[in-house]
């Protein structure tokens, strides 16, 4: 079997009216993965979706491309249904039978219940189909499950019985999760596809050489994958993308053949098989790494005619056009540091869950005390943290209580042990004591159910304490963004090997890889590519299959040896950003096979600064985090500098005695200055004349997460 160029996954729908204009669930969604990237489309009616599919497949055929077309309804019914209904033990007979019976209007109005009623009439007893909307009556179709004596022993096909997750029977037409209606409205469409594409189309697993055809139809069940839509995302949309991406990844990894080979059973020609059943683990593993990017090809577009883009405008554009491309997974909080929350975290219980003592001392009801010397008899026992309460304390008496112990019934106030004396079973102290003194109220820190942390928050160690304190053991986080780091240039050598003086040791790669890890991404070392366009193209192709974003350094300008920008231009997606920033040459931004590429300058100082300022917040958004801005502060300058207008400048700087020193040389080849510094001084876009003692903005490395 040769590979599929395009994988389409269709989420079909049995809706009887057009879906809302705004993309919504329970409508037809078509996800697509191919070399150009991933897309999905929303259709308001089945008619519109079918026309779009025809158009799409026609174009693929014309371009001589192979496609796998997956649909999410049953391609067959449990045996021997086809035989009993049509006289042929083959699903295609049912498809054709239904195509002749089902009337499905351009407005989605259809006669599926009438057709099911008619089918039931052909079976003895009470026929196999069941379920219809309230308020209607049919001669042979019941609302509740009343099937009997019809001769189709199993309600589900073998593949449904074996599937991990219990898909429903195609005989069930209504109620939660029912797939029967989609099947009745979907099979006629399959019959038409067969007629339209004839020998070019094969239907797996019904036809022997289906997988050798140019177009392959297969049944899928998207719920084999557990997807977590992010804020504002439609589950159906994410499901079709995730499934298409997972199948594509299986194809790349060579495990798709095993998925096709998993179909088995005596009644395969009648029942068919759900692609993925039998290899659920592999499918989920592939989906685990799947992306659902919504990056448009124009995501890095700058307005035409702009010459030098100010830093703030460049950042605003990146912020507005990028979006999360990673899926989700649940992890225990112990492993959640640095991860990005998918949904808001809410407190499972209040902190503290019950009122308790804030100090070691004696507890009592404040109502029974007053001014001047007080003496209260102590009750038996004591209240200690982690112990059940010793019982209620009568008014006018006191109890020994330790920090963290729940206030026993009758206690609302605690006197610090240092402020009290105990003698002969009596505690004595001087009043008045403020009611509620030295106690903590239930929920005074966090009330149960409140939002603790917003979606997109990157979890830090104190956040883990907050989650744990409120009873949260696991959190749903974004899968780590995989960022590939590639160095380019004929002049580069690996540190550790003896190199001629004309060679430069590759300083960027270890720095960029470490930055990626610091920021919680999965750093993927893509090595070093020479200044050779073909070789670089191959590397980018290979990289794009395994990573979510690519950082390159070197070759990003517009010169003869600037192959990164040349290739992105060739791919039609180059945007050479001439940003008014120093240090920094043009940034080459673009999509390579749907994967965003940040082409950084080769110069290590410029590469570092551009990564901190531009790549860091951008990668954060791709990873599902909210846009991050470094928090700087004003400090007096310990230096003197005159700056021309037009470019924002970042100077390697460090704080000494509360003043910002800058590195002696501004030469952008001076890597030692990066290491000497603790941060950057940011000088605004305009002209500046900085004198010692003047206030300047300092951005510590820490404000960039370093
Ligand atoms: P380029 O952007 O390719 O024109 O490179 C600009 C300068 O940065 C040249 O002097 C390169 O040798 C240098 N350079 C490029 N990549 C690296 C790297 N990975 N490590 C150190 N220097 C580099
Ligand atoms: Mg170069």
């Amino acid at each position: 079997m040769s590979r599929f160029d395009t994988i389409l996954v269709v989420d079909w729908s049995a809706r009887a009216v057009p879906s809302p204009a705004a993309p919504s669930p329970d409508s037809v969604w078509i996800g697509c993965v191919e070399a150009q990237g991933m897309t999905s489309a929303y259709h308001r009616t089945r008619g519109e979706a079918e026309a779009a599919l025809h158009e799409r497949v026609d174009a693929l055929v014309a371009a001589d491309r192979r496609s796998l077309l997956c649909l999410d309804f049953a391609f067959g019914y449990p045996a021997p249904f086809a035989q009993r209904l049509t006289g042929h033990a083959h699903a295609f007979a049912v498809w054709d039978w239904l195509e002749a019976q089902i009337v499905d209007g351009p407005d989605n109005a259809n006669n599926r219940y009438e057709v099911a009623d008619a089918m039931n009439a052909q079976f003895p007893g009470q026929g196999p189909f069941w379920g219809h909307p309230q308020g209607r009556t049919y001669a042979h179709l019941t609302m509740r499950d009343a099937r009997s004596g019809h001769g189709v022993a199993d309600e589900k096909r073998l593949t449904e019985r074996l599937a991990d997750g219990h898909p429903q029977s195609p005989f069930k037409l209504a109620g939660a999760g029912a797939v029967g209606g989609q099947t009745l409205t979907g099979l006629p469409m399959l019959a038409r596809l067969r007629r339209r594409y004839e020998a070019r189309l094969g239907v797996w697993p019904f036809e022997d050489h289906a997988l050798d055809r140019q177009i392959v139809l297969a049944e899928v069940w998207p719920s084999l994958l557990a997807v977590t839509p992010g804020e504002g995302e439609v589950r159906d949309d994410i499901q079709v993308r995730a499934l298409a991406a997972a199948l594509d990844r299986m194809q790349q990894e060579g495990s798709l053949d095993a998925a096709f080979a998993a179909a088995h059973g005596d009644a395969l020609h009648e029942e068919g098989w759900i692609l993925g059943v039998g290899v659920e683990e592999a499918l989920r593993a592939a989906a685990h790494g799947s992306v659902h990017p919504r990056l448009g090809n124009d995501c890095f577009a700058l307005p035409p005619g702009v010459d030098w883009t100010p830093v703030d405008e460049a950042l605003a554009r990146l912020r507005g056009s990028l979006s999360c491309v990673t899926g989700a997974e649940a992890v225990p909080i112990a492993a959640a540091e640095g991860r990005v929350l998918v949904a808001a975290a809410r407190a499972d219980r209040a902190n503290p869950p019950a009122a308790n003592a804030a100090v070691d001392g004696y507890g009592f009801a404040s109502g029974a005390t007053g001014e001047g010397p007080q003496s209260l008899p102590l009750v038996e026992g004591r209240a200690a943290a982690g112990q059940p309460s010793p019982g209620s304390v009568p008014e006018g008496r006191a109890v020994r209580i330790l920090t963290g112990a729940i206030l026993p019934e009758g206690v609302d106030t605690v006197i610090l042990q240092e402020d009290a004396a105990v003698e002969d079973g009596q505690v004595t102290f001087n009043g008045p004591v403020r009611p509620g003194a030295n106690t903590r109220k239930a929920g005074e820190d966090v009330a149960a159910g409140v939002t603790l942390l917003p979606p997109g928050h990157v979890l830090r160690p104190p956040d883990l304490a907050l989650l744990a304190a409120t009873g949260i053991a696991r959190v749903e986080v974004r899968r780590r963004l995989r960022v590939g780091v590639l160095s380019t240039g004929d002049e580069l050598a690996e540190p550790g090997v003896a190199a001629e003086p004309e060679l430069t040791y590759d300083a960027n790669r270890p720095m960029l890889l470490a930055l990626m890890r610091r920021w919680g991404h999965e750093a993927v070392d893509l090595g070093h590519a020479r200044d050779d366009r073909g070789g670089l193209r191959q590397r980018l192709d290979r990289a794009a299959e395994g990573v979510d974003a690519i950082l390159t350094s070197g070759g990003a300008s517009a010169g003869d040896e600037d192959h990164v920008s040349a290739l992105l231009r060739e791919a039609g997606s180059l945007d050479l950003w001439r940003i008014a920033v120093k240090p920094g040459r043009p940034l080459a931004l673009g999509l390579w096979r749907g994967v965003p590429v940040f082409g950084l300058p080769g110069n290590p100082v410029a590469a570092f600064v551009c990564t901190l300022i531009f790549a860091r917040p951008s990668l954060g958004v791709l990873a599902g985090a909210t846009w991050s801005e470094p928090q700087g502060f004003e400090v007096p300058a310990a230096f003197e500098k005159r700056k021309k207008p037009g470019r924002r400048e970042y100077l390697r700087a460090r704080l000494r005695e509360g003043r910002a020193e800058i590195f002696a040389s501004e030469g952008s080849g001076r890597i030692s200055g990066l290491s000497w510094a603790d941060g950057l001084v940011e000088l605004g876009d305009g002209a500046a004349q900085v004198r010692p003692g003047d206030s300047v903005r300092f951005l510590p490395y820490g404000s960039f997460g370093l």
Side-chain angles (χ1 to χ4, degrees):
M1 178 192 79
S2 58
R3 56 176 285 138
F4 298 106
D5 302 300
T6 299
I7 298 180
L8 292 159
V9 173
V10 182
D11 182 336
W12 199 241
S13 155
R15 248 181 137 116
V17 294
S19 308
S24 30
D26 301 323
S27 323
V28 183
W29 284 91
I30 305 179
C32 171
V33 170
E34 55 196 352
Q36 290 80 0
M38 180 185 295
T39 53
S40 66
Y42 167 75
H43 298 284
R44 296 184 61 191
T45 62
R46 283 181 293 281
E48 183 195 311
E50 185 170 347
L53 263 183
H54 287 178
E55 195 180 315
R56 192 66 199 268
V57 178
D58 286 353
L60 291 168
V61 168
D64 213 21
R65 294 168 73 88
R66 295 196 72 230
S67 53
L68 174 62
L69 179 48
C70 305
L71 301 110
D72 75 330
F73 49 80
F75 280 19
Y77 288 93
F81 175 83
Q83 167 76 43
R84 297 285 161 86
L85 181 75
T86 68
H88 301 282
H90 199 289
F92 292 170
V94 179
W95 298 12
D96 293 339
W97 191 96
L98 283 173
E99 198 212 341
Q101 301 296 321
I102 291 280
V103 180
D104 200 351
D107 56 353
N108 269 356
N110 64 81
N111 64 344
R112 65 185 190 274
Y113 295 108
E114 287 74 14
V115 171
D117 185 42
M119 284 192 282
N120 270 358
Q122 299 202 18
F123 285 79
Q126 175 61 43
F129 289 95
W130 65 277
H132 64 70
Q134 224 147 10
R136 300 198 202 169
T137 46
Y138 297 91
H140 305 279
L141 186 65
T142 55
M143 197 157 128
R144 308 254 164 261
D145 184 2
R147 294 162 296 133
S148 72
H150 52 70
V152 182
D154 274 305
E155 170 202 13
K156 290 186 181 180
R157 298 173 291 156
L158 178 64
T159 188
E160 283 150 354
R161 299 200 298 274
L162 294 179
D164 191 354
H166 311 294
Q168 299 203 3
S169 161
F171 290 133
K172 179 180 160 188
L173 301 182
V179 69
Q182 296 199 54
T183 302
L184 291 181
T185 56
L187 293 180
M189 189 239 327
L190 298 190
R192 289 188 286 272
L193 281 174
R194 284 194 69 221
R195 238 191 356 261
R196 185 178 183 91
Y197 298 107
E198 299 182 321
R200 291 182 196 279
L201 179 140
V203 189
W204 172 85
F206 300 97
E207 293 175 292
D208 288 343
H209 298 287
L211 297 179
D212 300 328
R213 308 285 177 87
Q214 192 180 1
I215 310 155
V216 177
L217 283 191
E219 177 185 343
V220 290
W221 185 48
S223 301
L224 281 179
L225 298 179
V227 303
T228 310
E231 296 269 307
E233 294 175 334
V234 176
R235 168 175 296 275
D236 312 45
D237 181 16
I238 301 309
Q239 266 186 335
V240 294
R241 289 161 181 267
L243 185 54
L247 293 170
D248 185 51
R249 179 148 295 180
M250 287 178 82
Q251 157 161 287
Q252 284 164 27
E253 289 166 354
S255 57
L256 192 57
D257 291 340
F260 285 120
H264 67 273
D266 298 335
L268 216 47
H269 289 164
E270 262 216 35
E271 296 193 343
W273 198 264
I274 296 167
L275 183 59
V277 168
V279 294
E280 283 92 340
E281 294 259 321
L283 182 71
R284 287 185 193 134
H288 183 64
S290 84
V291 293
H292 53 278
R294 283 154 298 151
L295 299 182
N297 226 344
D298 57 351
C299 67
F300 289 126
L302 277 177
V306 169
D307 195 10
W308 288 95
T309 308
V311 171
D312 287 338
E313 188 184 331
L315 291 173
R317 294 221 148 234
L318 289 169
R319 178 176 192 166
S321 59
L322 296 174
S323 53
C324 172
V325 298
T326 56
E329 60 183 330
V331 297
I333 57 167
E337 200 252 324
R339 307 298 298 271
V340 181
L341 276 184
V342 171
R346 290 184 209 290
D348 260 6
R349 91 173 187 184
N351 185 49
N356 63 63
V359 299
D360 290 347
Y362 302 90
F364 49 85
S366 68
T369 63
E371 301 224 358
Q374 307 289 316
S375 176
L376 303 176
L378 278 170
V379 299
E380 285 281 305
R382 58 169 205 170
Q387 311 264 312
S389 159
S392 77
V393 176
E395 182 145 310
R397 307 190 74 181
V399 65
R400 173 70 170 143
I401 192 163
L402 301 178
T403 307
I406 291 188
L407 299 185
E409 215 184 304
V411 173
D412 60 17
T413 302
V414 174
I415 180 104
L416 188 67
Q417 66 185 19
E418 287 80 354
D419 293 340
V422 174
E423 215 172 306
D424 297 336
Q426 300 266 331
V427 58
T428 57
F429 54 89
N430 260 324
V433 180
R434 182 180 56 81
N438 297 316
T439 64
R440 305 170 180 141
K441 287 193 248 343
E444 70 173 24
D445 180 24
V446 178
V450 298
T451 299
L452 300 170
L453 299 163
H457 182 79
V458 182
L459 294 168
R460 305 156 304 160
D463 300 324
L464 304 184
L466 176 62
L467 295 172
T470 52
I472 295 170
R474 289 172 78 77
V475 277
E476 190 90 18
V477 294
R478 292 280 162 199
R479 176 181 58 69
R480 283 189 200 276
L481 189 76
R482 276 185 303 256
V483 186
V485 175
L486 179 70
S487 294
T488 72
D490 281 346
E491 75 282 24
L492 297 185
E494 282 294 300
V497 301
E500 307 299 325
E502 61 271 26
L503 295 184
T504 302
Y505 285 124
D506 182 356
N508 289 343
R509 200 146 43 95
M511 171 177 77
L512 295 173
L513 287 166
L515 284 173
M516 295 309 107
R517 287 190 291 268
R518 272 287 171 115
W519 295 336
H521 308 311
E522 194 179 317
V524 179
D525 188 349
L526 300 177
H528 159 224
R530 304 188 60 83
D531 286 326
D532 152 47
R533 208 161 289 183
L536 185 59
R537 183 187 291 115
Q538 276 186 0
R539 260 170 199 273
L540 290 177
D541 278 348
R542 226 174 314 135
E545 295 195 343
V547 299
D548 306 307
I550 299 173
L551 295 186
T552 65
S553 66
S557 303
D560 295 350
E561 297 296 340
D562 287 319
H563 300 289
V564 172
S565 36
L567 280 173
L568 288 173
R569 184 176 295 115
E570 215 179 273
S573 81
L574 172 74
D575 276 285
L576 210 52
W577 287 39
R578 308 210 318 143
I579 304 174
V581 64
K582 185 179 170 190
R585 298 261 291 284
L587 268 191
L589 301 179
L591 290 185
W592 188 264
R593 294 180 164 260
V595 175
V597 178
F598 296 80
L600 301 163
N603 198 295
V605 175
F608 180 74
V609 169
C610 287
T611 304
L612 262 50
I613 305 295
F614 302 108
R616 175 175 179 258
S618 304
L619 293 169
V621 169
L622 295 174
T626 39
W627 182 263
S628 59
E629 269 162 26
Q631 294 300 310
F633 47 88
E634 303 288 316
V635 291
F639 61 91
E640 183 154 3
K641 179 175 161 66
R642 164 185 223 112
K643 174 189 172 296
K644 285 189 281 191
R647 290 211 280 176
R648 186 170 299 183
E649 285 194 35
Y650 293 94
L651 309 172
R652 283 149 282 174
R654 64 184 192 186
L655 283 189
R656 286 296 179 272
E657 281 147 20
R659 289 151 52 97
E661 299 177 348
I662 57 169
F663 190 59
S665 163
E666 286 183 28
S668 60
R670 302 284 188 100
I671 300 174
S672 62
L674 286 181
S675 175
W676 169 92
D678 294 332
L680 303 172
V681 157
E682 182 184 63
L683 300 179
D685 299 351
Q689 171 70 59
V690 180
R691 289 184 199 82
D694 287 355
S695 186
V696 289
R697 190 165 137 85
F698 181 71
L699 299 164
Y701 280 170
S703 69
F704 296 101
L706 304 188

